[in-house]
Amino acid sequence: MQRPITLGEFIVENQKDFPYAKGDLTALLSSIKLAGKMVNEKINKAGLSQILGKMNSENVQGEVQAKLDIIANDIFISTLKARGEIGGLASEELEDIVIFDDDIHKDSKYVILIDPLDGSSNIDVDITVGTIFSIYHRISEPGTKVTQEDFLQKGENQVAAGYLIYGTSTMLVYTCGNGVNGFTFDPGIGSFFLSHPNITFPSSGIIYSVNEGNYIHFPTGIKKLIKWMQELNTEENRPFTARYTGSLVADFHRNMLMGGLYLYPQGSTAPKGKLRLLYECNPMAFIAEQAGGRATDGEQRIMEIQATELHERAPFICGNSEMVSIAEKFIAENK
Ligand code: P6P
């Protein structure tokens, strides 16, 4: 039986899918792959090496940082900087962009935005977490320092996006605009192997993922949508089921494979929701659309939103097209 193809072999075979230059995707994704392995190693033994728990520091979001948040952030920055393809990066954990202002990086063509450890509140209780990344071709001139504008591009300009999911197995899932492919890490060999080729959302779904603890704060349309899904959950009707882990990568990944809807709506206590547009919503939206799904803020396509700030938030409704359309209908009818 022929062995599955490795991530590295797959990237080389599909290098034609990555615009602008030869070899760049290989180098960029191989550094993400390496950093993912290193973070995975830390997570898998976190309980043994006293790196659980919280720092006494807050990130730019005002969230108390988990120790592994910082470790993951440092691993990705150092690993990405070791290559010459990106001129700088933005991270959920850092207030400002990091500019790689040296001869190795000055002619770089790309920038990357990362959420180094999404869902980190789950770390101490051993629930799945992930890393999310979003890659753009810089709009500033190579040979100059990257600028904030390079990072504020609309999601539709992304050239690649993906996530690592550190779950019962560790996977890397990515797109560069030609479909979505998933690779499972074999720790015995130390490589990612193609396990989920051409991932697409099922045409319909019965899973919905939302923090119902915020129900009283939701807009009327979202409240009615949730009640509709609950009321339909009877024997003679199509049953909906609620699944919510508090980890976007985990909820998104499950819903993409099984069919479902993830919602982090705006609310009276969170006027633009909680998720960050540039390094959570946009990359997941790119993946969702490439997998035949959709992603909206309830009014417009996520990837058409023009960011004005690095860490701005956006309401996020994402899943298979049928369920996203139902959500939009409830929102439109209850403005
Ligand atoms: P809440 C994790 O902090 C995160 O950004 C996503 O991964 C997750 O879906 C969401 O926030 C959970 O937020 O308010 O429901 O705990």
Side-chain angles (χ1 to χ4, degrees), residues 139-153:
I139 49 181
S140 55
E141 277 305 307
T144 65
K145 287 193 286 187
V146 294
T147 66
Q148 183 99 329
E149 283 62 39
D150 288 317
F151 297 87
L152 296 181
Q153 298 180 61

Side-chain angles (χ1 to χ4, degrees), residues 322-334:
E322 181 202 48
M323 294 181 84
V324 172
S325 300
I326 292 169
E328 286 175 322
K329 182 171 178 290
F330 274 90
I331 292 167
E333 291 172 354
N334 294 279

Side-chain angles (χ1 to χ4, degrees), residues 43 139 277:
I43 286 173
I139 49 181
L277 172 61

Side-chain angles (χ1 to χ4, degrees), residues 211-246:
N211 183 341
E212 296 195 38
N214 298 325
Y215 179 84
I216 55 166
H217 303 300
F218 288 155
T220 303
I222 297 292
K223 287 180 178 174
K224 288 190 174 180
L225 168 67
I226 291 171
K227 286 305 165 202
W228 176 79
M229 291 191 287
Q230 290 171 342
E231 284 149 14
L232 262 182
N233 193 358
T234 58
E235 284 316 306
E236 66 275 10
N237 283 302
R238 195 175 83 176
F240 281 80
T241 188
R243 290 285 185 276
Y244 190 75
T245 69

Side-chain angles (χ1 to χ4, degrees), residues 39-40 43-44 68-69 72 115-132 163-171 245-250:
V39 170
N40 182 60
I43 286 173
N44 285 347
L68 265 172
D69 276 326
D115 181 355
L117 207 52
D118 174 68
S120 53
S121 58
N122 285 318
I123 290 170
D124 291 358
V125 292
D126 214 14
I127 290 175
T128 296
V129 293
T131 298
I132 308 173
Y163 56 82
L164 285 134
I165 178 168
Y166 311 103
T168 48
S169 65
T170 294
M171 283 187 68
T245 69
S247 181
L248 169 62
V249 170

